[in-house]
Amino acid sequence: MIAWLLEKIAFKVLESQNKALMMTRRQAIQQTVGAAATLAALGQVPSSFAAQPAASGPFQLPKLPYALDALEPHIDAKTMEIHHGKHHAAYIAQLNKAVIGKPALQGRTVEDLLLSLSSLPTDIQGAVRNHGGGHYNHSLFWQSMSRSGGGEPQGDLAAAIDKSFGSFASFRERFSEAALKQFGSGWAWLIWNGRQLEVRSLPNQDAALATGHTVLLGLDVWEHAYYLKYQNRRADYITAFFKVVDWGFVRDRFAHK
Ligand code: MN
């Protein structure tokens, strides 16, 4: 698995170097300036991995709300760099590709596209479900973690968790079990179904949003989210996630459900 990942990364580096060779000086300067601005916003020391050319199309990779190493030691910087800069970027590139030549879809938000999946042209429903779902899910995921995260939620959210699950400990157990037992790739979700809080797991990049419920928190359990640091120890990654969950962010989503 590691060898496969390294090979894939090495190939991508080679590919970007080849592209760089073909760029004009003006393009190279523009890309460097763009990447430097992004890195400055992230408070990062520049590295060849972090420099991302802008996606071509209406959908763009959102900046991380913190530095790549902000969630160390729970989520390591290298995983963040590849997960955000490569995996999330790839979902966006594929989503952009899906809406090429479909101007009516290009001005719509990814949320809107996911909520109206069945009314989209049939030839792009799969791409929107997978790559649009990937874009939406990851955008939410980055925001739901913070260096100062962890602990337990407060206020109305804490009360709703107690009411729906009995206690925070019991919610955490249910959520962790859903994350652990998701066979293959997928996500564990905490949603508001209109009456109560609920834990669900969904495969692949299927967006809990598309169920019509309010999505409060999601945990990515694709191997790419944890393999570099945790290898096959998904349970340890789930434990680590709870040390960085930004409950203030989740509480704010709950308040606006
Ligand atoms: Mn992911």
Side-chain angles (χ1 to χ4, degrees), residues 14-191:
L14 198 65
E15 196 179 45
S16 64
Q17 283 170 347
N18 285 339
K19 272 185 194 158
L21 286 174
M22 289 186 287
M23 273 193 299
T24 64
R25 186 167 173 273
R26 187 187 167 89
Q27 283 171 325
I29 291 169
Q30 278 174 343
Q31 193 175 101
T32 306
V33 168
T38 307
L39 291 168
L42 289 171
Q44 286 302 300
V45 175
S47 90
S48 58
F49 270 114
Q52 289 299 310
S56 141
F59 300 99
Q60 297 287 313
L61 182 64
K63 286 176 188 167
L64 284 176
Y66 36 70
L68 291 172
D69 63 357
L71 308 177
E72 292 263 14
H74 311 296
I75 312 281
D76 62 292
K78 182 58 77 184
T79 296
M80 286 300 293
E81 194 174 301
I82 297 172
H83 198 178
H84 174 259
K86 301 292 179 193
H87 290 276
H88 189 173
Y91 292 120
I92 293 166
Q94 291 299 318
L95 179 61
N96 279 328
K97 209 168 147 187
V99 297
I100 286 175
K102 297 186 164 62
L105 301 181
Q106 291 182 3
R108 292 169 67 179
T109 63
V110 68
E111 289 89 337
D112 184 30
L113 293 179
L114 289 166
L115 284 168
S116 49
L117 204 52
S118 58
S119 66
L120 298 179
T122 50
D123 62 323
I124 67 154
Q125 283 183 12
V128 172
R129 179 176 180 165
N130 293 333
H131 305 299
H135 176 27
Y136 180 83
N137 293 342
H138 286 86
S139 300
L140 183 73
F141 187 51
W142 312 132
Q143 295 177 75
S144 71
M145 297 183 285
S146 148
R147 186 196 286 279
S148 56
E152 296 187 14
Q154 306 293 318
D156 288 356
L157 177 60
I161 284 178
D162 288 348
K163 195 174 170 194
S164 298
F165 302 105
S167 66
F168 177 75
S170 157
F171 151 70
R172 186 182 156 140
E173 202 175 304
R174 292 266 289 276
F175 187 90
S176 300
E177 196 183 316
L180 194 61
K181 289 189 174 168
Q182 169 58 42
F183 183 74
S185 299
W187 292 67
W189 296 104
L190 172 65
I191 60 166

Side-chain angles (χ1 to χ4, degrees), residues 170-224:
S170 157
F171 151 70
R172 186 182 156 140
E173 202 175 304
R174 292 266 289 276
F175 187 90
S176 300
E177 196 183 316
L180 194 61
K181 289 189 174 168
Q182 169 58 42
F183 183 74
S185 299
W187 292 67
W189 296 104
L190 172 65
I191 60 166
W192 173 256
N193 68 14
R195 300 179 316 281
Q196 59 179 5
L197 294 170
E198 208 181 295
V199 164
R200 280 192 191 179
S201 61
L202 291 175
N204 305 315
Q205 295 297 350
D206 284 4
L209 166 85
T211 60
H213 300 317
T214 307
V215 182
L216 301 174
L217 178 69
L219 173 57
D220 186 347
V221 294
W222 283 57
E223 280 190 345
H224 70 225

